[in-house]
Amino acid sequence: MPELPEVETVMRGLDGRLTGRTITRATLHRPDLRWPIPENFAASLAGATVLGFRRRGKYIFMRLDSGISALIHLGMSGRMVIDAPFATHEHLTLETHDGGRIGFVDPRRFGALDLIATHDEDTHRLVAALGPEPLGNEFTGALLYVTIMDRSSTIKTTLLDQSVVAGIGNIYASEALFRAKISPRRLCRSLGYGRCTRLVAAVRATLTEAIAAGGSSLRDYVQPSGELGYFQHAWKVYDRTGQACERCPGAPACAGIRRLVQTGRASFYCPLTQR
Ligand SMILES: [Zn+2]
C-alpha cells in the first residue's frame, strides 16, 4: 500500500508529465472506485490546463486552470502509468495536447477520484481531519507529545492514526520506530517529551530518505513499464522477520528482526535496542 514517500514520488512524476499541459481528453471507464466518481469528473478535466500538484497525506490534488482540483487517492493498489498500452483495471485515461497518455490503474478499487474547488482543498472530507504533514514545520516533538501524552494506545498503532500525523502507514511506522530506538509496544503516555522529539526526527529522516530513494528526475520516476513512482527500498526492519539486525551484528540478545501483530497489523523491530 502506497505511503507518503510513494505518493510523493508518484506526484512528482505526474507533475513532470502534466504540469503546463492541456488535457485534451479524459475518459472514465467506470462510474465508481471506493466511492462514486462525480458525473462531471471527465468533463471537468477535458480542455483544462494543469497548473500543478499538491500532496496532503496520501492524497494528491491536481490543480486545473479552471479553479478546480482533482483529488486522486491511490488507495491500496492504485498506480499511475505513463504512455503505456491500455491496462486491465485502468479506470481513468488522460490524454494531453502533446501526445501524452496517463492511466490510473487500480485492481482492488480502494482508490478515489473526486473534484473540489482549489481554494477549498483543505475542507475535502478525506483531508479535513488529517493531522500535520510529517515533513512540515508544524510537526514537532512538542506537538506530538501534547497530542498523544494521555493516550493508552501503543505508539505503533498511534502512528497509523492519520489525525495524529498524515501519510504514515505500516512500513514507515516500523522503520521510524527502529530508527528512534523506541519499541512498537511502548504506550503513548509513557513516551515522554524526549522520545517524542527523537521519534519526530526519525520519522522525518526515514521519509526523506525514502523519497530520495525514489529518484530525483522524471526519468527516475518512470519505470520501464511506464509505471510511476514505485521503487524497491531497502527496509531495515519491515518484512525482515528473522533476518540479521544491522544495528547489532553478533549481539546474542538480538537474534534478528522480530515480528509482532498489533491491532491486526504486523510490526517489525529489534528486540535489543528498541525500548
Ligand atoms: Zn538489533
Side-chain angles (χ1 to χ4, degrees), residues 198-238:
R198 221 161 71 209
L199 182 54
V200 164
V203 164
R204 287 172 173 276
T206 303
L207 296 177
T208 301
E209 270 183 17
I211 291 169
S216 58
S217 70
L218 181 57
R219 184 181 296 178
D220 298 335
Y221 300 136
V222 185
Q223 302 195 357
S225 62
E227 185 170 339
L228 268 187
Y230 284 46
F231 41 87
Q232 290 295 319
H233 194 61
W235 314 121
K236 295 187 188 302
V237 290
Y238 182 77

Side-chain angles (χ1 to χ4, degrees), residues 178 244-249 251 253-257 269-274:
F178 174 74
C245 168
E246 70 162 40
R247 190 180 281 149
C248 16
C254 174
I257 303 304
Y269 65 103
C270 160
L272 181 60
T273 64
Q274 289 182 248

Side-chain angles (χ1 to χ4, degrees), residues 51-242:
L51 297 182
F53 288 82
R54 174 194 176 211
R55 183 190 53 72
R56 181 75 176 98
K58 302 174 196 171
Y59 299 89
I60 294 172
F61 290 104
M62 177 173 72
R63 296 172 157 178
L64 307 173
D65 64 345
S66 54
I68 301 239
S69 293
L71 174 142
I72 302 168
H73 181 46
L74 301 172
M76 307 279 288
S77 60
R79 57 190 205 270
M80 308 295 304
V81 294
I82 300 281
D83 299 334
F86 184 81
T88 312
H89 306 299
E90 181 169 319
H91 307 310
L92 169 70
T93 307
L94 303 178
E95 292 162 80
T96 60
H97 73 276
D98 57 346
R101 187 184 179 290
I102 292 91
F104 177 47
V105 180
D106 184 8
R108 296 181 65 184
R109 300 204 304 266
F110 278 100
L113 294 170
D114 204 358
L115 297 171
I116 189 159
T118 300
H119 62 262
D120 287 337
E121 279 173 1
D122 287 326
T123 69
H124 192 282
R125 68 183 176 87
L126 294 174
V127 307
L130 291 179
E133 283 293 319
L135 297 176
N137 294 332
E138 194 192 340
F139 185 56
T140 61
L143 178 69
L144 182 64
Y145 178 63
V146 300
T147 305
I148 70 172
M149 59 186 287
D150 293 328
R151 296 197 183 202
S152 55
S153 50
T154 65
I155 185 58
K156 162 67 190 332
T157 300
T158 303
L159 278 177
L160 302 181
D161 179 343
Q162 300 297 298
S163 72
V164 171
V165 58
I168 297 178
N170 215 35
I171 295 173
Y172 295 99
S174 280
E175 293 292 311
L177 286 168
F178 174 74
R179 187 185 285 255
K181 301 184 180 176
I182 295 170
S183 167
R185 285 196 181 92
R186 181 172 282 279
L187 298 181
C188 288
R189 60 175 181 236
S190 81
L191 229 63
Y193 177 75
R195 284 192 197 85
C196 283
T197 302
R198 221 161 71 209
L199 182 54
V200 164
V203 164
R204 287 172 173 276
T206 303
L207 296 177
T208 301
E209 270 183 17
I211 291 169
S216 58
S217 70
L218 181 57
R219 184 181 296 178
D220 298 335
Y221 300 136
V222 185
Q223 302 195 357
S225 62
E227 185 170 339
L228 268 187
Y230 284 46
F231 41 87
Q232 290 295 319
H233 194 61
W235 314 121
K236 295 187 188 302
V237 290
Y238 182 77
D239 205 20
R240 295 196 63 224
T241 312

